[in-house]
Amino acid sequence: MVGNIAVVNYGRLNDYAAMLPEHTAGLHVFSHNELEATAGFAHYEYVPDCEFVPYAELRLRELARDRVFDHVITDNEYDLERVARIRAHLGVPGQSPESALSFRDKVVMKEVAGKRVRTPRFAGLGTFADLLDFIGDVGYPVVVKPRKQGGSRDITVLRDNRDLTAFSRRHWRDDLMAEEFVEGEVHHVDAVFADGYRFVACSRYLRSCLGVLSGENNGSLQLHPDDPVAIELTAFLDDCLAAFDAPAVSAYHLEVFRTPSGELLLCEIASRVGGARIPALTRATYGLDPLTVWLRLSTGLPVADAPSGPPARLHGAVAIVPPGHAVRAPGRPPFPWVTEYEVNTALAAGAVAQNSTSHLCWAMVEGRDTAEVELRLWETETWLTANVGADTP
């Protein structure tokens, strides 16, 4: 007998009938973006601004009056707390509201994680005076950011009193935190864990994700599982999760600072699949789609065993950020090791980068090892940048 699965969806390309075919007839989907493959669903509604409005929560409570939901799932970080509340109300197993909060609120997150791993010095900001006190204690530079945002949205780096004065002229908001600026590389670790299932992949960002806000291109490259840094990062993930009330089944996207001396500090950790090009890179190297694996495990469905042997090739991706004026994206780079290339056809003319996922186009490259992948990413970026054309009539 097919059970009922409630889905609060964000991704416009998600195909739940393909990911969860055993559950198709029991899917009740409320989606922020319109989905094409909805045939056979028990219930489907496109809800404009779904992640911002409480309609899905209301309707699921109403639907639950005459049916039992076995699972409530989401692909979207900004819906994790809401979905956890729905689970708690319906008595459905899965991540609790308290657990969801600890992976969403960066102050709570660092308070929890700090019991097991090192974090930058940080503080929640109730008032502007709190920021001044923090700068007095820590010194410049200081990062100010929302406690529950992602994708480098609304982040400000204050490097001196001049930056502070400019920041003081902006509207104050009540959801901010501050933390010390950490010099060094930024790595990400992407994982899916369940009873009897463990997948971990480690990567390094090509540049800081904050760079897109000042016009720098963004990207990342995978590390071999046997790389000493990957081994350290994997152990850091395990240590970090030991401090949390981690769900029985979950995906994780961990970001870690690695200082010039090699010390690891927590940037942040989310209990969801990594965004942007990370799923595509994972599919290319390891042959698995992390979202599909996470959702199947979360709804009691079988999955193939996690990869156990070393990957034959590694991959990386680079994205060209929107320059802020009308341009024409280049064609596909003429290199045999470029395995995927995509132009962002939905980008508005003259758009500027809004967050770390903003892009004009992006390319994936492959290589024998991380060093070769990195060289090819730089060459691909150079070619793409040189071939961005003026968008003239």
Side-chain angles (χ1 to χ4, degrees):
M1 179 179 176
V2 175
N4 291 306
I5 312 292
V7 183
V8 181
N9 175 72
Y10 182 87
R12 62 183 178 84
L13 299 179
N14 288 341
D15 186 344
Y16 287 92
M19 292 190 289
L20 308 173
E22 301 94 329
H23 287 318
T24 300
L27 292 175
H28 298 68
V29 180
F30 297 83
S31 186
H32 183 92
N33 289 294
E34 289 191 80
L35 297 178
E36 294 184 1
T38 62
F41 289 3
H43 186 96
Y44 169 74
E45 291 188 51
Y46 161 54
V47 183
D49 293 328
C50 186
E51 76 173 9
F52 304 111
V53 300
Y55 173 79
E57 191 167 355
L58 173 66
R59 285 292 290 127
L60 283 169
R61 285 182 175 227
E62 293 173 345
L63 290 170
R65 293 171 186 166
D66 59 13
R67 70 206 73 189
V68 174
F69 284 101
D70 301 296
H71 303 281
V72 185
I73 59 176
T74 184
D75 68 318
N76 184 21
E77 176 170 359
Y78 299 104
D79 282 313
L80 288 173
E81 289 181 86
R82 172 165 53 170
V83 163
R85 289 195 303 269
I86 297 170
R87 287 194 197 102
H89 175 73
L90 300 180
V92 173
Q95 187 175 36
S96 69
E98 296 77 16
S99 173
L101 175 67
S102 69
F103 287 101
R104 287 279 296 121
D105 185 315
K106 293 175 176 58
V107 170
V108 178
M109 175 193 302
K110 289 187 163 81
E111 289 172 345
V112 172
K115 299 172 185 176
R116 294 295 300 254
V117 298
R118 188 177 170 200
T119 72
R121 287 175 288 178
F122 68 94
L125 302 179
T127 67
F128 186 71
D130 295 332
L131 174 59
L132 297 180
D133 289 343
F134 185 78
I135 293 172
D137 291 340
V138 174
Y140 292 113
V142 162
V143 180
V144 181
K145 58 186 178 182
R147 293 167 64 141
K148 291 188 178 182
Q149 271 289 14
S152 300
R153 293 171 178 86
D154 303 329
I155 293 181
T156 302
V157 180
L158 306 179
R159 298 186 181 278
D160 51 33
N161 286 337
R162 187 174 177 178
D163 287 344
L164 178 64
T165 300
F167 185 77
S168 74
R169 293 181 178 274
R170 293 163 50 176
H171 288 197
W172 180 257
R173 46 193 289 180
D174 296 326
D175 64 338
L176 296 176
M177 67 172 295
E179 68 179 35
E180 66 176 320
F181 185 89
V182 180
E183 295 284 356
E185 300 172 340
V186 184
H187 292 262
H188 61 92
V189 183
D190 297 276
V192 182
F193 291 161
D195 185 24
Y197 189 92
R198 178 182 172 90
F199 170 75
V200 181
C202 299
S203 306
R204 172 168 54 85
Y205 285 115
L206 201 58
R207 297 184 178 93
S208 165
C209 293
L210 296 180
V212 300
L213 304 179
S214 57
E216 292 183 339
N217 298 321
N218 191 18
S220 71
L221 55 155
Q222 296 170 326
L223 305 181
H224 192 280
D226 294 334
D227 186 309
V229 175
I231 294 171
E232 287 183 45
L233 290 167
T234 301
F236 188 93
L237 171 66
D238 290 334
D239 286 345
C240 186
L241 287 177
F244 285 82
D245 174 20
V249 179
S250 190
Y252 297 102
H253 176 65
L254 167 71
E255 294 183 337
V256 182
F257 299 115
R258 187 167 186 266
T259 69
S261 65
E263 185 175 15
L264 302 182
L265 292 85
L266 174 70
C267 175
E268 56 191 57
I269 183 169
S271 56
R272 45 86 177 167
V273 169
R277 275 65 63 182
I278 293 170
L281 292 168
T282 306
R283 289 191 294 269
T285 298
Y286 295 99
L288 69 84
D289 179 70
L291 179 62
T292 299
V293 171
W294 176 33
L295 296 184
R296 288 185 65 83
L297 289 169
S298 295
T299 56
L301 296 178
V303 299
D305 292 341
S308 56
R313 310 282 281 179
L314 297 178
H315 294 80
V318 62
I320 305 301
V321 301
H325 56 272
V327 295
R328 176 173 34 82
R332 184 185 178 100
F335 308 121
W337 28 261
V338 171
T339 58
E340 290 189 40
Y341 178 66
E342 182 178 295
V343 174
N344 184 2
T345 58
L347 187 70
V352 297
Q354 300 294 321
N355 55 67
S356 62
T357 68
S358 299
H359 66 286
L360 171 70
C361 58
W362 70 273
M364 182 190 299
V365 310
E366 66 172 7
R368 293 166 298 180
D369 52 34
T370 301
E372 185 171 69
V373 169
E374 183 166 16
L375 287 173
R376 289 174 172 180
L377 283 176
W378 293 126
E379 186 172 354
T380 301
E381 179 191 55
T382 299
W383 188 93
L384 288 170
T385 302
N387 285 277
V388 170
D391 190 9
T392 56

